[in-house]
Amino acid sequence: MLNQLTVQNFAIVQFLTLEFKRGMTTITGETGAGKSIAIDALGLCLGERADANMVRNGNEKAEISAHFTLQDTPQARLWLNNNDLENTDAINECFLRRTINKEGRSRAYINATPVPLSQLKSLGQLLVNIHGQHAHQSLLKSNIQLSILDEYADHHTLLQKVKDTYQGWHFLNKQLEQQRLNQQEKQARKQLLEYQIEELDAFSLAQGEFEQIEEEHKRLANSDALIETCQKGLDQLCDNDDVDVLSLLRNSVCALEKLADNDKNLENIVTTLQEALIQIEEASYDLRHFSENLEQDPEKFIQLENRMSEALSLSRKHQVSAQQLYSQHQKLKKEFKQLNNNDEQIQQLEKERHIAKNNYAKYAQKLSLSRLRYAKDLSQKISESIQQLNMRDGLFHINLQKNETQSMSPLGLDHVEFQVKTNAGQTLQNLVKIASGGELSRISLAMQVIISQRVAIPTLIFDEVDAGISGATASVVGKLLRRLGEKTQIFCVTHLPQVAGNGHQQMFVEKKSKGNSTNTTMVNLNKAQRINELARLLGADNITERTLANAQELLVQD
């Protein structure tokens, strides 16, 4: 429930503090006095769009704060708890504040904690429901009609299921479309890869093979020089009949070994020479073995040269080095496999999309059946209500059809049409075609009252929703709103004395000008003041005893 509203430097309000009570509060005043300013300010405090023009001329910023009690609002308390925004000093109280500077930038606070505007708006929807003066015009739109039915049926959870399954289907559908768009390009790439891989498969180059070919090719290319050099080296080391390195070294070792017995200083030298002798013998053995295994194989050389040439040709074609040709082959095979997997991905996406569509259809069908059931109930209640509002032969009907040809949407597959019969002898027709402005206002008001009784929001605001209504109908409207005010807090901006007189309390809005400054004020009226205000609303140029008596009759006493 809204306890207090403080408005500072907002539009033509300099400063205003309003205390509110339970029940129905009517707000009246001269035309143009600013009866809706408090509602506009509250709307801003609940997260509505801010504008620099809202700041009073000559001031740096506007500030609006609202104080709510939450004893009867468990959903709001839960929301605050879930978002760590509870008022730790008083758990059943909540303070909202909004500031706007002259540049149009705004800040929002919940219980003195700065919050994004989205959070302020989310909480505000649990605290106050504002029915604007042009709400009956939006009633002609099909999407608004559908949302009214869903709100009455409390379809929030079911609608979320439909939206979630729709989003799942929509996401998969987009993925599938993208995969198919790329399919032609991928198919061309796949054909090229298939040709390249077949060519590389046929060549069948093993890992590290090119390096081996290159090494063996080099050896065969230089085999004559290698054989000649090896023979010469063997001759110098050990095969010369006259003199060679091994013979000379053996002789030196033998001679020095004999002398080492006489001089111990020669022992290290002898040891070194003996080691050198062993190494030369081993080197000679290895050189002989190498020389014996050298071959001159022109046929093999040609084979190696041809394979190396083909490898170099393929490497140029694939724009890699010959050493990278094997890894390029593996890379192409991996890409080809992935493209094959892409076909499988499309098949899998088609299966998943089919499942998602079935899930959507399940919840959409459940939503349709629920809408149909509540449409009958709401139609009957609205019919009864508008008949009470001096449309005695009025009949309201919600025509709900499941459109099988309609594309899937996050709101389901239903098409809704509000139909009405306003006079005897007429047939039901679309609301757009038959209802006058006054009739539309009464139908809209009946809906808002009926839906408000089902929605657990503690404060309801009706901003001139009685426009186009007068006489006996206005009296019925006033009584209807008063009965609703017995259960919840109601604010009603009105110009009708029959409605204003039904309020549990009444506030008067007045605009005053002084020099170049204009200021709007709002005050609570006592009983005598209310009677005078009702008399003014009755349209009397001069308030007489008779006018005051009529006004007193309109004032409903507690």
Side-chain angles (χ1 to χ4, degrees):
M1 171 183 143
L2 177 62
N3 278 1
Q4 186 183 71
L5 180 68
T6 302
V7 183
Q8 187 172 359
N9 298 325
F10 176 75
I12 57 175
V13 175
Q14 185 175 20
F15 184 81
L16 193 63
T17 296
L18 302 172
E19 303 286 340
F20 299 111
K21 300 177 182 178
R22 292 185 178 275
M24 176 182 175
T25 300
T26 56
I27 302 171
T28 62
E30 295 280 0
T31 301
K35 294 189 292 296
S36 298
I37 279 184
I39 294 174
D40 293 339
L42 179 60
L44 194 69
C45 201
L46 297 171
E48 295 297 326
R49 184 177 175 273
D51 190 283
N53 294 328
M54 294 175 172
V55 180
R56 181 179 169 87
N57 285 337
N59 290 274
E60 293 296 317
K61 70 175 183 178
E63 182 172 330
I64 303 99
S65 59
H67 171 216
F68 294 86
T69 53
L70 307 177
Q71 288 93 336
D72 301 325
T73 319
Q75 288 183 327
R77 290 203 307 271
L78 179 62
W79 188 95
L80 288 167
N81 181 58
N82 291 339
N83 289 274
D84 295 325
L85 290 168
E86 286 179 306
N87 184 353
T88 53
D89 295 329
I91 196 169
N92 284 322
E93 293 187 0
C94 177
F95 293 87
L96 305 184
R97 185 163 70 95
R98 182 92 178 271
T99 63
I100 314 149
N101 64 21
K102 62 182 181 180
E103 285 79 31
R105 293 189 294 272
S106 74
R107 291 182 177 179
Y109 303 85
I110 297 176
N111 290 327
T113 302
V115 295
L117 194 59
S118 58
Q119 281 195 314
L120 188 65
K121 197 165 189 176
S122 179
L123 176 60
Q125 291 172 349
L126 302 174
L127 297 172
V128 178
N129 196 342
I130 300 176
H131 301 277
Q133 54 185 295
H134 302 297
H136 62 284
Q137 294 295 335
S138 64
L139 191 61
L140 301 176
K141 298 177 181 179
S142 180
N143 63 318
I144 299 298
Q145 294 176 0
L146 191 61
S147 67
I148 288 171
L149 175 59
D150 285 330
E151 187 175 4
Y152 175 76
D154 192 20
H155 279 154
H156 301 292
T157 302
L158 188 51
L159 263 175
Q160 192 60 49
K161 288 285 187 182
V162 172
K163 288 178 182 178
D164 290 345
T165 52
Y166 171 81
Q167 291 296 336
W169 171 85
H170 184 69
F171 175 74
L172 290 169
N173 199 51
K174 283 289 185 184
Q175 278 194 315
L176 192 55
E177 285 179 3
Q178 189 60 47
Q179 291 280 8
R180 285 174 174 167
L181 282 174
N182 296 335
Q183 187 69 4
Q184 187 174 357
E185 180 182 340
K186 289 180 178 179
Q187 192 61 33
R189 176 64 177 166
K190 186 177 175 181
Q191 290 175 353
L192 174 63
L193 286 175
E194 193 169 13
Y195 165 75
Q196 291 177 329
I197 290 169
E198 284 180 359
E199 188 177 42
L200 290 171
D201 282 345
F203 185 60
S204 190
L205 184 71
Q207 186 173 11
E209 182 185 350
F210 182 80
E211 289 82 349
Q212 294 175 359
I213 291 172
E214 197 172 30
E215 184 180 350
E216 193 169 359
H217 178 272
K218 190 184 292 184
R219 186 169 64 251
L220 288 175
N222 296 281
S223 59
D224 289 343
L226 285 170
I227 291 172
E228 181 181 348
T229 302
C230 286
Q231 290 300 328
K232 185 176 180 180
L234 286 171
D235 184 65
Q236 291 173 341
L237 288 171
C238 58
D239 287 348
N240 194 296
D241 293 334
D242 296 328
V243 62
D244 55 44
V245 172
L246 279 175
S247 299
L248 293 173
L249 190 56
R250 286 192 188 101
N251 293 335
S252 296
V253 169
C254 288
L256 290 170
E257 282 177 342
K258 292 177 181 179
L259 293 174
D261 293 336
N262 300 322
D263 190 342
K264 298 296 183 183
N265 291 326
L266 288 175
E267 287 182 355
N268 289 335
I269 298 173
V270 171
T271 300
T272 301
L273 288 174
Q274 287 173 339
E275 290 174 354
L277 180 61
I278 292 170
Q279 289 179 348
I280 292 173
E281 286 175 343
E282 289 177 351
S284 299
Y285 175 82
D286 291 340
L287 183 61
R288 189 181 304 280
H289 179 75
F290 175 78
S291 175
E292 289 173 353
N293 284 283
L294 279 174
E295 58 179 345
Q296 292 175 308
D297 191 342
E299 185 176 344
K300 187 175 182 181
F301 177 75
I302 292 171
Q303 289 175 353
L304 290 172
E305 194 163 61
N306 289 339
R307 189 154 178 78
M308 189 164 68
S309 176
E310 190 174 353
L312 291 170
S313 176
L314 286 171
S315 70
R316 286 192 295 270
K317 184 182 290 188
H318 289 274
Q319 297 182 341
V320 296
S321 67
Q323 289 83 355
Q324 295 173 316
L325 198 58
Y326 173 82
S327 60
Q328 176 69 5
H329 186 190
Q330 306 309 309
K331 180 182 175 182
L332 294 178
K333 288 199 291 187
K334 183 178 180 180
E335 184 181 352
F336 185 76
K337 184 178 179 180
Q338 288 174 341
L339 288 177
N340 281 334
N341 290 340
N342 183 66
D343 294 336
E344 296 174 4
Q345 287 175 0
I346 289 177
Q347 293 175 2
Q348 182 62 30
L349 280 173
E350 286 175 340
K351 291 178 182 177
E352 290 177 7
R353 185 183 67 167
H354 181 71
I355 293 170
K357 187 175 182 180
N358 286 342
N359 286 336
Y360 170 84
K362 179 179 70 175
Y363 288 111
Q365 175 67 13
K366 189 175 180 180
L367 179 61
S368 295
L369 292 173
S370 183
R371 280 172 173 167
L372 188 61
R373 182 172 67 254
Y374 281 101
K376 293 178 181 178
D377 184 43
L378 183 57
S379 295
Q380 182 180 346
K381 288 183 177 179
I382 293 175
S383 294
E384 292 171 355
S385 185
I386 62 175
Q387 287 165 14
Q388 295 173 6
L389 293 171
N390 281 353
M391 292 173 64
R392 294 180 182 83
D393 296 310
L395 183 63
F396 184 85
H397 176 68
I398 300 175
N399 183 28
L400 192 69
Q401 294 181 343
K402 189 176 179 182
N403 192 344
E404 299 291 349
T405 60
Q406 180 179 325
S407 59
M408 294 166 63
S409 92
L411 297 178
L413 297 172
D414 300 307
H415 174 75
V416 69
E417 182 181 275
F418 283 1
Q419 298 176 338
V420 66
K421 182 186 79 169
T422 57
N423 299 300
Q426 289 183 330
T427 58
L428 285 166
Q429 293 188 47
N430 192 310
L431 192 62
V432 178
K433 297 179 180 179
I434 195 169
S436 66
E439 290 167 339
L440 197 57
S441 294
R442 278 178 273 176
I443 293 169
S444 175
L445 182 59
M447 282 184 191
Q448 291 171 17
V449 170
I450 291 168
I451 291 171
S452 297
Q453 291 172 331
R454 287 179 58 87
V455 179
I457 295 179
T459 300
L460 305 175
I461 296 176
F462 295 92
D463 187 7
E464 294 193 26
V465 294
D466 51 14
I469 297 172
S470 60
T473 305
S475 180
V476 175
V477 168
K479 293 175 182 176
L480 188 67
L481 291 174
R482 185 180 176 89
R483 285 201 303 271
L484 186 60
E486 301 290 345
K487 300 177 181 178
T488 187
Q489 185 184 43
I490 288 181
F491 297 93
C492 181
V493 176
T494 182
H495 61 278
L496 298 178
Q498 297 93 328
V499 175
N502 275 280
H504 294 91
Q505 49 269 335
Q506 185 172 343
M507 305 187 81
F508 179 71
V509 179
E510 185 178 16
K511 182 169 68 175
K512 295 180 180 179
S513 297
K514 185 177 180 180
N516 295 325
S517 177
T518 302
N519 187 37
T520 288
T521 60
M522 185 182 295
V523 294
N524 282 301
L525 301 180
N526 59 31
K527 181 179 178 181
Q529 291 171 329
R530 288 189 69 180
I531 292 173
N532 278 309
E533 173 61 6
L534 292 176
R536 184 192 67 80
L537 291 173
L538 283 168
D541 294 331
N542 295 311
I543 298 177
T544 64
E545 291 297 325
R546 184 175 178 181
T547 308
L548 290 171
N550 290 337
Q552 189 163 4
E553 287 181 5
L554 291 175
L555 185 60
V556 178
Q557 302 295 319
D558 291 331

